[in-house]
Amino acid sequence: MSLAKRENKIFEQIQSRLSEYIRITDAEEEVCELYSVYYSREGGSSRSKQNRVDSRKTELDLEIKGGKRTLSLTINQNPNINGELGQTGGVLWNSSMIMSEFFAQRSEWAGNGSLDVGETNIVELGTGCGLVGLVLHQLGARRVALTDQQRMMKVINRNIAAAAVSARQPNRASGGSRRQKPGDFGGGSRGECEIYATEYLWGRPPEDLRITSKPIDMVVVSDCVYHESIAPLL
């Protein structure tokens, strides 16, 4: 068969199957969706020099270094969520690791920083798996609200529960000589520290009144805006 005939046959096959495909109306949204799916299933290997975590795993044991001390956390992931339209929060991304280390290394808990999150009321937007907020809670924030869409609540609550269990175990980084407790490293006592997950959709008044029941001292956002149309909602 000649090249021209082969090309015509391929073209005819494509034409006959056009009805099976969805027309792309927003190229940027399509690229975002394709990349988030690729990252979750193929591109998020920790073996890659560009990735700090393995996005294909359902559970990660992480160590966030803060000067001479280290926070140990177990983070659950749900790569399947990233297969849904517009979803990127089911797995960890590099920037949440970097932001967590930023707070840990500059906190008073590290022994050589000036950032004191004790006594603060913090809201994290688009928390995803909740890593940054969990780290801030461990650093002693008085209150941390981990907010995201409803479909993310299950994985966030699992990570809050995992952090509570970890807090009762000897700190692996210190050779078991010290127990790592929520709020133990910051200004608030353990009993005064609070962390919870709740749904919040950007651009709307929060339905959970706990978010605004006390003045908000800090809002943190990490790896959330992948499409320019989302930015105005912030």
Side-chain angles (χ1 to χ4, degrees):
M1 182 182 297
S2 66
L3 177 61
K5 288 184 178 180
R6 285 201 300 269
E7 289 177 344
N8 287 335
K9 187 174 182 179
I10 293 172
F11 180 75
E12 290 172 358
Q13 291 174 342
I14 293 173
Q15 286 286 92
S16 66
R17 300 187 59 184
L18 282 178
S19 61
E20 301 176 20
Y21 298 95
I22 300 174
R23 183 180 181 84
I24 296 174
T25 57
D26 189 327
E28 292 184 359
E29 178 67 32
E30 184 71 11
V31 171
C32 174
E33 180 184 357
L34 290 173
Y35 181 72
S36 65
V37 172
Y38 166 78
Y39 179 82
S40 300
R41 298 179 181 176
E42 302 294 339
S45 171
S46 59
R47 292 189 298 269
S48 170
K49 294 181 179 179
Q50 296 179 337
N51 295 308
R52 302 281 302 277
V53 296
D54 193 334
S55 60
R56 299 170 300 178
K57 293 183 177 180
T58 57
E59 185 176 289
L60 298 170
D61 289 321
L62 303 177
E63 292 190 342
I64 305 299
K65 299 185 183 300
K68 297 179 181 180
R69 304 175 71 178
T70 301
L71 285 174
S72 299
L73 288 149
T74 297
I75 296 294
N76 294 276
Q77 300 188 119
N78 186 351
N80 294 328
I81 292 180
N82 280 25
E84 301 176 17
L85 181 62
Q87 295 302 309
T88 57
V91 298
L92 289 181
W93 297 72
N94 289 343
S95 54
S96 62
M97 289 286 294
I98 294 170
M99 182 175 281
S100 296
E101 291 172 350
F102 171 86
F103 285 122
Q105 292 169 4
R106 286 161 178 77
S107 69
E108 289 191 347
W109 167 81
N112 57 357
S114 58
L115 177 65
D116 181 10
V117 298
E119 308 300 323
T120 57
N121 180 23
I122 298 173
V123 174
E124 182 176 9
L125 301 179
T127 188
C129 297
L131 177 62
V132 175
L134 286 165
V135 167
L136 287 167
H137 177 242
Q138 295 283 15
L139 294 176
R142 175 64 63 86
R143 196 182 207 196
V144 181
L146 306 180
T147 71
D148 212 307
Q149 299 181 48
Q150 181 59 42
R151 69 191 72 192
M152 293 301 305
M153 292 299 104
K154 183 176 181 180
V155 70
I156 299 170
N157 280 311
R158 287 181 64 188
N159 287 330
I160 291 175
V165 171
S166 176
R168 294 191 291 269
Q169 304 300 321
N171 190 345
R172 293 191 297 269
S174 62
S177 61
R178 169 182 178 84
R179 291 185 181 274
Q180 179 177 297
K181 301 175 182 179
D184 189 32
F185 309 128
S189 68
R190 185 182 181 191
E192 295 173 331
C193 293
E194 177 186 4
I195 185 168
Y196 63 93
T198 187
E199 179 184 12
Y200 174 60
L201 301 179
W202 301 353
R204 302 180 186 179
E207 296 182 4
D208 190 335
L209 298 182
R210 290 178 297 177
I211 296 177
T212 55
S213 63
K214 295 182 179 179
I216 298 171
D217 301 302
M218 184 187 301
V219 176
V220 294
V221 186
S222 173
D223 49 40
C224 279
V225 180
Y226 292 88
H227 195 292
E228 61 182 13
S229 64
I230 301 175
L233 297 176
L234 290 173

